[in-house]
Amino acid sequence: DLVAYKAARIVSKAGESVSPGFLLVRKGKVEKVLGADAKLPDGARVVDLKEAVILPGLVNPLSAISQANYRSGPGRASQSNSSPSDGRKLVGSSAVNLKHEIYRRLGRTGYTTFAVVPNDTRGLIAGQASVIRPALGKEKEPRELVLAESAYLMLGFASGKVWYDAGIKYLKKAVDDILKQKAAKKKAEEEARKKAEEAKKQAGKPPAEEKKPAAKPPAKPAAKPAPKPPSKPKPPDPLVQLFKGEKKAFLRVGSPAAIAHLFAFLDSLPMKFQFVLVTSPQPPEIIDLLIKRKKQLTAVILEPRMGRIPDTSIYVNSARLLLRAGIPVAFVPLRDTLEGHREIFFPLAAMIKSGVLPHEALAGVTSVPADLVGLASKVGSLRSGGMANFVCYDKDPLSGSARILSVYIEGEKVFQDDPATGKLSGEAVR
């Protein structure tokens, strides 16, 4: 049950590695990462990966990839300025169809964890993201891929009165419901307190003489009513959970003007909530605004590319500015396709040349998104007890020219690439 994978370098998490070393895996979970000179446990089966570099499996915190858009190009959660609708009951796992090849091919990208949102995410309340893993080829039910049914609530916001009115309709109403619940609870507690005080006063008075009622003939016992079936509990409202701090939120905003309008709208609400901002590279003045609001931002999700100041040829590295201010940044592929995921380290290498530190770039596709979807103890690193999800490269992937050799999910190989023949497994290894 114990396998020791030997490699030229093993990155247990961003910024921590051993060269060379062993990755110990037992029954689909990481047991330990050891240096090459450490004594292996008795009975360990050694798999020599030679000059390979092992990384934790990559994590995408925001994807709409599914069979619906697999061949139709990018499927990233898109947003329309004319559709502030309510999809709070939708969950991303509802689109999973095990019969489709896409779920067996996800592993060949080097990504082993995907937070998938419903395909149509144009609404103000777009739906709930489900966290899934690629198929191993032996699943019978879609739920076997699901690591978390509801990781967060996906929201959107754009400029204009239509979106502002929709925010009042949905978000403001959720706040009002919470305030009404608090007021009703406070009233009930006050009434219970008054009753307790009254009962205490009555207990101190001498008991009054009771007159015995005249004896009556025994009455016939009344027929017992048929028992009512227990009522099903009403599912909690995700928006109410959001304001109570019981559910995470990802909030997608595109333009600088929309970001400014968003915070103005949020300031008008009686209650605040923290959220992960999903946006594009922004100009310095908007970055400054985000930094001032860092207490409200859990993190920022960006594509790994430079932004440009409007009407100039000056480029800005938004990720670098946010990271220096202490705001975590997660990166998502430029294209929400299999090829876009496989190519993630090419744009990441360009970001490193522009000022993002190597460990920050790696954390942006492993540990940071794992934390954002609530699975930091299971994925995004090679920690003891976590899932044995890892990727083997022929060189440092942050060089921008590395090749994926193999991918493992829960200790099982789901993809392999033979450099000698160039033959790909194509999909999950059966």
Side-chain angles (χ1 to χ4, degrees), residues 12 51 53 61 67 118 160 162 183 189 210 219 228 267 287 347 378 382:
S12 56
E51 298 303 313
V53 177
Q67 64 271 15
V162 173
E189 290 175 348
E210 295 183 2
K228 295 181 180 180
D267 287 344
I287 298 297
K378 293 183 177 180
L382 297 176

PDB file of all heavy atoms in Angstrom, residues 12 51 53 61 67 118 160 162 183 189 210 219 228 267 287 347 378 382:
ATOM      1  N   SER A  12       6.538  20.453  -2.173  1.00  0.00           N
ATOM      2  CA  SER A  12       5.418  20.069  -1.313  1.00  0.00           C
ATOM      3  C   SER A  12       4.353  21.163  -1.267  1.00  0.00           C
ATOM      4  O   SER A  12       3.169  20.878  -1.175  1.00  0.00           O
ATOM      5  CB  SER A  12       5.911  19.754   0.099  1.00  0.00           C
ATOM      6  OG  SER A  12       6.627  20.856   0.630  1.00  0.00           O
ATOM      7  N   GLU A  51      14.549  12.380 -13.531  1.00  0.00           N
ATOM      8  CA  GLU A  51      14.783  13.827 -13.449  1.00  0.00           C
ATOM      9  C   GLU A  51      13.508  14.646 -13.342  1.00  0.00           C
ATOM     10  O   GLU A  51      13.521  15.866 -13.529  1.00  0.00           O
ATOM     11  CB  GLU A  51      15.578  14.290 -14.672  1.00  0.00           C
ATOM     12  CG  GLU A  51      16.946  13.662 -14.795  1.00  0.00           C
ATOM     13  CD  GLU A  51      17.800  13.919 -13.557  1.00  0.00           C
ATOM     14  OE1 GLU A  51      17.842  15.089 -13.105  1.00  0.00           O
ATOM     15  OE2 GLU A  51      18.391  12.966 -13.031  1.00  0.00           O
ATOM     16  N   VAL A  53      10.219  16.700 -12.011  1.00  0.00           N
ATOM     17  CA  VAL A  53       9.884  17.658 -10.960  1.00  0.00           C
ATOM     18  C   VAL A  53       8.423  17.426 -10.585  1.00  0.00           C
ATOM     19  O   VAL A  53       7.540  17.471 -11.450  1.00  0.00           O
ATOM     20  CB  VAL A  53      10.079  19.110 -11.427  1.00  0.00           C
ATOM     21  CG1 VAL A  53       9.652  20.084 -10.335  1.00  0.00           C
ATOM     22  CG2 VAL A  53      11.526  19.351 -11.829  1.00  0.00           C
ATOM     23  N   PRO A  61     -10.047  27.774  -9.351  1.00  0.00           N
ATOM     24  CA  PRO A  61     -11.147  28.177  -8.471  1.00  0.00           C
ATOM     25  C   PRO A  61     -12.385  28.662  -9.206  1.00  0.00           C
ATOM     26  O   PRO A  61     -13.415  28.908  -8.590  1.00  0.00           O
ATOM     27  CB  PRO A  61     -10.529  29.324  -7.670  1.00  0.00           C
ATOM     28  CG  PRO A  61      -9.576  29.957  -8.636  1.00  0.00           C
ATOM     29  CD  PRO A  61      -9.015  28.815  -9.454  1.00  0.00           C
ATOM     30  N   GLN A  67     -19.126  19.620 -20.978  1.00  0.00           N
ATOM     31  CA  GLN A  67     -19.351  19.096 -22.324  1.00  0.00           C
ATOM     32  C   GLN A  67     -20.038  20.118 -23.215  1.00  0.00           C
ATOM     33  O   GLN A  67     -19.925  20.066 -24.429  1.00  0.00           O
ATOM     34  CB  GLN A  67     -20.176  17.809 -22.269  1.00  0.00           C
ATOM     35  CG  GLN A  67     -21.586  17.972 -21.720  1.00  0.00           C
ATOM     36  CD  GLN A  67     -21.635  17.799 -20.220  1.00  0.00           C
ATOM     37  OE1 GLN A  67     -20.604  17.836 -19.570  1.00  0.00           O
ATOM     38  NE2 GLN A  67     -22.826  17.616 -19.665  1.00  0.00           N
ATOM     39  N   PRO A 118     -22.266  27.039 -12.871  1.00  0.00           N
ATOM     40  CA  PRO A 118     -23.195  26.791 -13.978  1.00  0.00           C
ATOM     41  C   PRO A 118     -22.736  27.497 -15.250  1.00  0.00           C
ATOM     42  O   PRO A 118     -22.133  28.572 -15.200  1.00  0.00           O
ATOM     43  CB  PRO A 118     -24.514  27.374 -13.458  1.00  0.00           C
ATOM     44  CG  PRO A 118     -24.406  27.290 -11.972  1.00  0.00           C
ATOM     45  CD  PRO A 118     -22.947  27.533 -11.673  1.00  0.00           C
ATOM     46  N   GLY A 160     -24.757  50.625 -14.225  1.00  0.00           N
ATOM     47  CA  GLY A 160     -26.080  50.904 -14.771  1.00  0.00           C
ATOM     48  C   GLY A 160     -27.187  50.723 -13.759  1.00  0.00           C
ATOM     49  O   GLY A 160     -27.071  49.977 -12.779  1.00  0.00           O
ATOM     50  N   VAL A 162     -30.067  49.272 -14.105  1.00  0.00           N
ATOM     51  CA  VAL A 162     -30.687  47.949 -14.100  1.00  0.00           C
ATOM     52  C   VAL A 162     -30.024  47.057 -13.054  1.00  0.00           C
ATOM     53  O   VAL A 162     -30.691  46.363 -12.286  1.00  0.00           O
ATOM     54  CB  VAL A 162     -30.593  47.309 -15.499  1.00  0.00           C
ATOM     55  CG1 VAL A 162     -31.076  45.869 -15.463  1.00  0.00           C
ATOM     56  CG2 VAL A 162     -31.423  48.103 -16.498  1.00  0.00           C
ATOM     57  N   ALA A 183     -34.854  41.095  14.793  1.00  0.00           N
ATOM     58  CA  ALA A 183     -35.856  41.838  15.567  1.00  0.00           C
ATOM     59  C   ALA A 183     -36.867  40.894  16.196  1.00  0.00           C
ATOM     60  O   ALA A 183     -37.254  41.063  17.371  1.00  0.00           O
ATOM     61  CB  ALA A 183     -36.554  42.850  14.662  1.00  0.00           C
ATOM     62  N   GLU A 189     -37.247  37.016  22.912  1.00  0.00           N
ATOM     63  CA  GLU A 189     -36.432  36.943  24.127  1.00  0.00           C
ATOM     64  C   GLU A 189     -36.939  37.903  25.199  1.00  0.00           C
ATOM     65  O   GLU A 189     -36.945  37.576  26.386  1.00  0.00           O
ATOM     66  CB  GLU A 189     -34.970  37.252  23.778  1.00  0.00           C
ATOM     67  CG  GLU A 189     -34.292  36.166  22.958  1.00  0.00           C
ATOM     68  CD  GLU A 189     -32.894  36.566  22.528  1.00  0.00           C
ATOM     69  OE1 GLU A 189     -32.554  37.767  22.679  1.00  0.00           O
ATOM     70  OE2 GLU A 189     -32.144  35.701  22.023  1.00  0.00           O
ATOM     71  N   GLU A 210     -58.217  26.953  46.615  1.00  0.00           N
ATOM     72  CA  GLU A 210     -58.871  26.473  45.412  1.00  0.00           C
ATOM     73  C   GLU A 210     -60.177  25.764  45.787  1.00  0.00           C
ATOM     74  O   GLU A 210     -60.216  24.963  46.716  1.00  0.00           O
ATOM     75  CB  GLU A 210     -57.957  25.502  44.659  1.00  0.00           C
ATOM     76  CG  GLU A 210     -56.693  26.157  44.129  1.00  0.00           C
ATOM     77  CD  GLU A 210     -55.863  25.165  43.331  1.00  0.00           C
ATOM     78  OE1 GLU A 210     -56.303  24.008  43.173  1.00  0.00           O
ATOM     79  OE2 GLU A 210     -54.776  25.560  42.863  1.00  0.00           O
ATOM     80  N   ALA A 219     -65.872  11.547  30.940  1.00  0.00           N
ATOM     81  CA  ALA A 219     -66.192  11.774  29.523  1.00  0.00           C
ATOM     82  C   ALA A 219     -65.507  10.715  28.668  1.00  0.00           C
ATOM     83  O   ALA A 219     -64.488  10.132  29.046  1.00  0.00           O
ATOM     84  CB  ALA A 219     -65.724  13.171  29.100  1.00  0.00           C
ATOM     85  N   LYS A 228     -49.575  14.042  11.622  1.00  0.00           N
ATOM     86  CA  LYS A 228     -49.178  14.729  10.397  1.00  0.00           C
ATOM     87  C   LYS A 228     -47.749  14.349  10.027  1.00  0.00           C
ATOM     88  O   LYS A 228     -46.900  14.207  10.911  1.00  0.00           O
ATOM     89  CB  LYS A 228     -49.264  16.243  10.573  1.00  0.00           C
ATOM     90  CG  LYS A 228     -50.682  16.749  10.789  1.00  0.00           C
ATOM     91  CD  LYS A 228     -50.680  18.267  10.918  1.00  0.00           C
ATOM     92  CE  LYS A 228     -52.089  18.803  11.128  1.00  0.00           C
ATOM     93  NZ  LYS A 228     -52.087  20.286  11.260  1.00  0.00           N
ATOM     94  N   ASP A 267     -21.701  49.945   0.062  1.00  0.00           N
ATOM     95  CA  ASP A 267     -21.706  50.865   1.193  1.00  0.00           C
ATOM     96  C   ASP A 267     -23.123  51.276   1.585  1.00  0.00           C
ATOM     97  O   ASP A 267     -23.361  51.699   2.722  1.00  0.00           O
ATOM     98  CB  ASP A 267     -20.875  52.108   0.866  1.00  0.00           C
ATOM     99  CG  ASP A 267     -19.379  51.820   0.859  1.00  0.00           C
ATOM    100  OD1 ASP A 267     -18.980  50.770   1.400  1.00  0.00           O
ATOM    101  OD2 ASP A 267     -18.623  52.630   0.298  1.00  0.00           O
ATOM    102  N   ILE A 287      -6.535  49.733  -8.473  1.00  0.00           N
ATOM    103  CA  ILE A 287      -5.772  48.895  -7.552  1.00  0.00           C
ATOM    104  C   ILE A 287      -5.680  49.573  -6.185  1.00  0.00           C
ATOM    105  O   ILE A 287      -5.821  48.932  -5.135  1.00  0.00           O
ATOM    106  CB  ILE A 287      -4.368  48.599  -8.104  1.00  0.00           C
ATOM    107  CG1 ILE A 287      -4.462  47.831  -9.430  1.00  0.00           C
ATOM    108  CG2 ILE A 287      -3.546  47.813  -7.095  1.00  0.00           C
ATOM    109  CD1 ILE A 287      -5.100  46.476  -9.329  1.00  0.00           C
ATOM    110  N   PRO A 347       1.953  31.862 -19.554  1.00  0.00           N
ATOM    111  CA  PRO A 347       1.687  33.239 -19.072  1.00  0.00           C
ATOM    112  C   PRO A 347       2.203  33.478 -17.658  1.00  0.00           C
ATOM    113  O   PRO A 347       2.571  34.604 -17.324  1.00  0.00           O
ATOM    114  CB  PRO A 347       0.159  33.355 -19.151  1.00  0.00           C
ATOM    115  CG  PRO A 347      -0.349  31.960 -19.145  1.00  0.00           C
ATOM    116  CD  PRO A 347       0.689  31.150 -19.835  1.00  0.00           C
ATOM    117  N   LYS A 378      -6.945  19.361   1.790  1.00  0.00           N
ATOM    118  CA  LYS A 378      -7.012  18.193   0.911  1.00  0.00           C
ATOM    119  C   LYS A 378      -6.229  18.361  -0.391  1.00  0.00           C
ATOM    120  O   LYS A 378      -5.637  17.406  -0.886  1.00  0.00           O
ATOM    121  CB  LYS A 378      -8.476  17.877   0.580  1.00  0.00           C
ATOM    122  CG  LYS A 378      -9.299  17.415   1.771  1.00  0.00           C
ATOM    123  CD  LYS A 378     -10.707  17.044   1.338  1.00  0.00           C
ATOM    124  CE  LYS A 378     -11.526  16.512   2.511  1.00  0.00           C
ATOM    125  NZ  LYS A 378     -12.903  16.136   2.096  1.00  0.00           N
ATOM    126  N   LEU A 382       1.173  19.130  -0.988  1.00  0.00           N
ATOM    127  CA  LEU A 382       1.447  17.719  -0.710  1.00  0.00           C
ATOM    128  C   LEU A 382       1.678  17.563   0.793  1.00  0.00           C
ATOM    129  O   LEU A 382       2.746  17.182   1.239  1.00  0.00           O
ATOM    130  CB  LEU A 382       2.651  17.245  -1.522  1.00  0.00           C
ATOM    131  CG  LEU A 382       2.464  17.302  -3.047  1.00  0.00           C
ATOM    132  CD1 LEU A 382       3.738  16.901  -3.764  1.00  0.00           C
ATOM    133  CD2 LEU A 382       1.292  16.415  -3.478  1.00  0.00           C
TER     134      LEU A 382
END
